Amino acid sequence: EPEVTQTPSHQVTQMGQEVILRCVPISNHLYFYWYRQILGQKVEFLVSFYNNEISEKSEIFDDQFSVERPDGSNFTLKIRSTKLEDSAMYFCASRGRSYGYTFGSGTRLTVV
Amino acid sequence: AQSVTQLGSHVSVSEGALVLLRCNYSSSVPPYLFWYVQYPNQGLQLLLKYTTGATLVKGINGFEAEFKKSETSFHLTKPSAHMSDAAEYFCAVSPLRGGATNKLIFGTGTLLAVQP
């Protein structure tokens, strides 16, 4: 069964550093998403991406965040200057024309 | 704004007992509805979804859910709990039926414990 692949599985970074979280969505999917889950809390929507542009973003997705699909296969989330409160599990998801959202296994980001 | 309410942040059942996890949604039009399961330190796995058609939806691992428009509910059930069902369960809605975004909005989750 097709999978969404996320790398790395764990990342530890110092406050103020830039991080890039990587995702390889399912190849024939058209819609791409990033979500995050702070430990013990619910899964929160960050951003959706379609046709090479952001289609919607949440209040969480401020100027410190950006997304790219640089080469038609990878889908990345960049945090420019990480804060302690950015520590969370970040999930990438993709969706085809049906409503089958497939999630990756997540990247656990720890900001120290 | 659309929202999802999961009643009971923790549910404990005995092995072999009925599992009932509650989910109610708030939406001006019936949304698409989903249940996801998350095992410790793992990602989100789709259990089942309702988009159109039959309101009783069967999913993986013996779970099913029924969409009840009049009650704005989508409760998850399993007739007989197994130890391996212990996990966190998230109800989610996709509020739009068109458009490029169709993001998922998640409930706060229900942690299911299964006692031997």
Side-chain angles (χ1 to χ4, degrees), chain B residues 20-37:
Chain B
L20 170 61
L21 305 182
R22 299 178 186 275
C23 173
N24 288 87
Y25 66 89
S26 169
S27 176
S28 56
V29 296
Y32 290 168
L33 296 152
F34 305 78
W35 275 99
Y36 282 84
V37 61

Side-chain angles (χ1 to χ4, degrees), chain B residues 22-79:
Chain B
R22 299 178 186 275
C23 173
N24 288 87
Y25 66 89
S26 169
S27 176
S28 56
V29 296
Y32 290 168
L33 296 152
F34 305 78
W35 275 99
Y36 282 84
V37 61
Q38 185 179 33
Y39 297 100
N41 299 312
Q42 294 189 27
L44 297 161
Q45 182 182 9
L46 179 67
L47 275 177
L48 49 80
K49 65 181 179 183
Y50 169 78
T51 53
T52 58
T55 55
L56 181 62
V57 181
K58 294 187 186 299
I60 61 171
N61 302 339
F63 284 93
E64 60 183 37
E66 186 171 11
F67 168 56
K68 291 188 177 180
K69 183 178 174 181
S70 60
E71 299 178 7
T72 60
S73 69
F74 191 58
H75 301 330
L76 182 71
T77 59
K78 182 174 180 177

